[in-house]
């Protein structure tokens, strides 16, 4: 591996970034509680008193990984800079499969983190839906023929679609939340709104019919009519528009294009990765790397 970003640190230092994220200042032997430990060459620690050995990776997202922490550290920089697994693999001379597997672990950790940290939205919230996934013309010929036969190629809201519908909102404090939905019908969307957005909030949407009736449900709902070229509406000092969430859709799609076709089962992780990036866009690269190290080391993961 070529150490482009991790080369500036001694291996012991990188290992400390990870163990500090996990234990803080409370690193001690699991068995005898002694704090006199020494680090072995493979990112494990050995208690100087009772010789018990333990790994900093236990109970973390890295628990199944045999890669050393300096490899993980290097990969994290490439990930945060937004490089694809293939590009990263080529640049630092690791196998594509390996880098891909690591990036998937990172994405799943970020997904869990985002899901765990949802706070009810309030204030002024812009709501919209979109579709993600490969374009019909880019699909394999056999699949295209199949889709035509079952009449599933119509696009657009309400129509059968091959693309994945995504619901999302942008709180005017600058955070977004997105989730995959089965359809863009009224019940589906309004159930999410009820569950995730505090009553009395100001809700701005376009004129899609699924958003009708939100005023009666306890929200202050205003719409902009894109069909009539209406993009910003000024009412009583409020700027009614959904430019925030639409801006996020643009950003999301641009990012997804980079990866040239993501497997359907993994698509949600790529989408939530972009939610995470967007919500943490104020962080510098090294702060973002640190934040992800904390996420990787600090939550008991479901089996990854
Ligand atoms: Zn011990």
């Amino acid at each position: 591996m070529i150490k482009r970003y991790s080369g500036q640190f001694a291996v012991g230092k990188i290992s400390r970034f990870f163990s500090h994220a996990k234990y803080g200042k409370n690193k001690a032997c699991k068995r005898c509680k002694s704090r006199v430990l020494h680090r072995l060459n493979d990112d494990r620690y050995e208690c100087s008193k009772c010789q018990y050995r333990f790994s900093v990776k236990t109970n973390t997202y890295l628990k199944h990984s045999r890669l050393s922490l300096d490899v993980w550290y290097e990969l994290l920089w490439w990930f945060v800079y937004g490089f694809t697994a293939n590009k990263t693999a080529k640049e630092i001379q690791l196998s594509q499969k390996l880098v891909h597997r690591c990036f998937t672990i990172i994405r799943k950790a970020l997904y869990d983190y985002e899901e765990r940290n949802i706070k009810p939205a309030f204030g002024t919230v812009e709501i919209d839906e979109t579709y993600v996934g490969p374009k019909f013309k880019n699909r394999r010929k056999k699949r295209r023929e199949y889709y035509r036969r079952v009449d599933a190629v119509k696009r657009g809201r309400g129509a059968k679609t091959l693309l994945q519908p995504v619901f999302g909102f942008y709180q005017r404090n600058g955070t977004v939340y997105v989730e995959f939905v089965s359809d863009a019908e009224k019940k589906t969307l309004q159930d999410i709104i009820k569950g995730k957005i505090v009553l009395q909030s100001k809700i701005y949407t376009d004129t899609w019919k699924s958003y009708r009736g939100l005023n009666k449900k306890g929200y202050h709902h205003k719409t902009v009519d894109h069909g009539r070229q209406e993009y910003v509406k000024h009412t009583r000092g409020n700027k009614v528009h959904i430019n925030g969430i639409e801006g996020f859709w643009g950003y999301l799609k641009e990012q997804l294009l980079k990866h040239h076709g993501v497997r359907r089962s993994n698509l949600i992780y790529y989408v939530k990765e972009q939610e995470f990036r967007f919500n943490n866009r104020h962080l510098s690269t090294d702060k973002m790397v640190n934040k992800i190290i904390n996420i990787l080391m600090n939550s008991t993961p479901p089996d990854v």
Side-chain angles (χ1 to χ4, degrees):
M1 180 186 76
I2 294 170
K3 294 181 171 182
R4 182 75 63 80
Y5 299 111
S6 58
Q8 54 175 318
F9 299 108
V11 173
K13 177 100 179 161
I14 290 172
S15 181
R16 273 200 295 279
F17 292 152
F18 286 83
S19 72
H20 191 266
K22 184 173 179 185
Y23 304 114
K25 294 201 169 82
N26 302 314
K27 190 164 65 205
C29 171
K30 299 277 156 307
R31 195 191 271 163
C32 76
K33 307 286 178 236
S34 163
R35 298 167 71 98
V36 188
L37 306 163
H38 73 270
R39 199 175 56 80
L40 304 171
N41 287 331
D42 54 0
D43 298 316
R44 287 188 306 160
Y45 288 88
E46 186 183 75
C47 173
S48 301
K49 210 167 162 191
C50 74
Q51 273 72 54
Y52 180 70
R53 290 176 171 192
F54 59 97
S55 167
V56 68
K57 292 176 187 157
T58 307
N59 282 330
T60 74
Y61 282 89
L62 309 186
K63 65 182 172 186
H64 296 310
S65 169
R66 287 158 68 188
L67 288 177
S68 76
L69 293 173
D70 55 324
V71 176
W72 273 102
Y73 190 71
E74 179 70 28
L75 290 175
L76 275 169
W77 277 84
W78 289 86
F79 179 86
V80 169
Y81 273 128
F83 287 97
T84 63
N86 289 355
K87 173 85 175 154
T88 304
K90 203 187 280 175
E91 290 290 328
I92 61 175
Q93 294 174 17
L94 286 176
S95 91
Q96 286 191 1
K97 212 169 153 187
L98 178 81
V99 179
H100 212 275
R101 205 156 51 215
C102 292
F103 279 16
T104 302
I105 290 172
I106 298 169
R107 286 195 178 95
K108 287 185 173 171
L110 297 183
Y111 169 87
D112 292 341
Y113 174 82
E114 287 297 290
E115 288 296 286
R116 265 197 316 273
N117 288 286
I118 300 166
K119 294 182 193 83
F122 61 95
T124 304
V125 188
E126 303 174 16
I127 298 177
D128 197 22
E129 358 70 50
T130 191
Y131 293 86
V132 295
K135 293 216 163 50
F136 179 67
K137 66 177 169 59
N138 295 337
R139 286 174 189 257
R140 292 211 186 99
K141 191 162 176 248
K142 266 225 169 85
R143 294 310 286 169
R144 292 202 307 262
E145 281 161 4
Y146 167 75
Y147 289 135
R148 276 205 191 91
R149 213 164 51 238
V150 298
D151 193 26
V153 293
K154 274 178 256 163
R155 271 206 57 191
R157 298 201 268 205
K160 271 186 273 180
T161 175
L162 296 171
L163 296 173
Q164 172 63 53
V166 188
F167 169 84
F169 57 75
Y170 171 87
Q171 205 179 329
R172 289 265 175 99
N173 68 1
T175 56
V176 294
Y177 169 79
V178 291
E179 86 177 58
F180 281 6
V181 286
S182 51
D183 54 64
E185 298 307 311
K186 186 169 182 170
K187 184 173 179 345
T188 311
L189 303 189
Q190 296 206 5
D191 279 355
I192 304 174
I193 292 171
K194 226 161 63 188
K196 302 231 155 61
I197 301 176
V198 176
L199 287 173
Q200 302 300 319
S201 297
K202 290 176 185 167
I203 285 182
Y204 300 157
T205 68
D206 60 17
T207 51
W208 174 233
K209 61 180 165 54
S210 292
Y211 299 120
R212 280 177 206 159
L214 283 167
N215 277 319
K216 271 184 233 138
K217 297 216 166 126
Y219 295 100
H220 302 288
H221 180 212
K222 295 260 184 307
T223 59
V224 278
D225 192 347
H226 289 176
R228 291 184 189 170
Q229 309 301 316
E230 177 181 64
Y231 294 96
V232 186
K233 194 157 78 182
H234 297 266
T235 52
R236 291 189 208 132
N238 297 315
K239 271 190 188 169
V240 180
H241 64 75
I242 55 170
N243 296 345
I245 187 66
E246 287 185 329
F248 177 73
W249 295 144
Y251 163 82
L252 170 66
K253 286 171 187 187
E254 198 180 297
Q255 296 303 312
L256 290 178
L257 273 180
K258 256 189 355 204
H259 294 280
H260 305 295
V262 172
R263 202 181 292 172
R264 184 73 171 239
S265 54
N266 277 333
L267 192 55
I268 184 67
Y269 301 117
Y270 284 78
V271 169
K272 293 299 263 191
E273 171 200 346
Q274 299 309 329
E275 175 189 295
F276 173 84
R277 286 180 187 275
F278 187 88
N279 289 341
N280 290 283
R281 63 196 178 281
H282 55 280
L283 294 181
S284 62
T285 309
D286 65 325
K287 292 242 167 66
M288 180 87 99
V289 168
N290 260 322
K291 180 158 186 168
I292 299 179
I293 290 176
N294 270 293
I295 292 168
L296 289 171
M297 303 305 284
N298 267 313
S299 27
T300 313
D303 236 7
V304 287

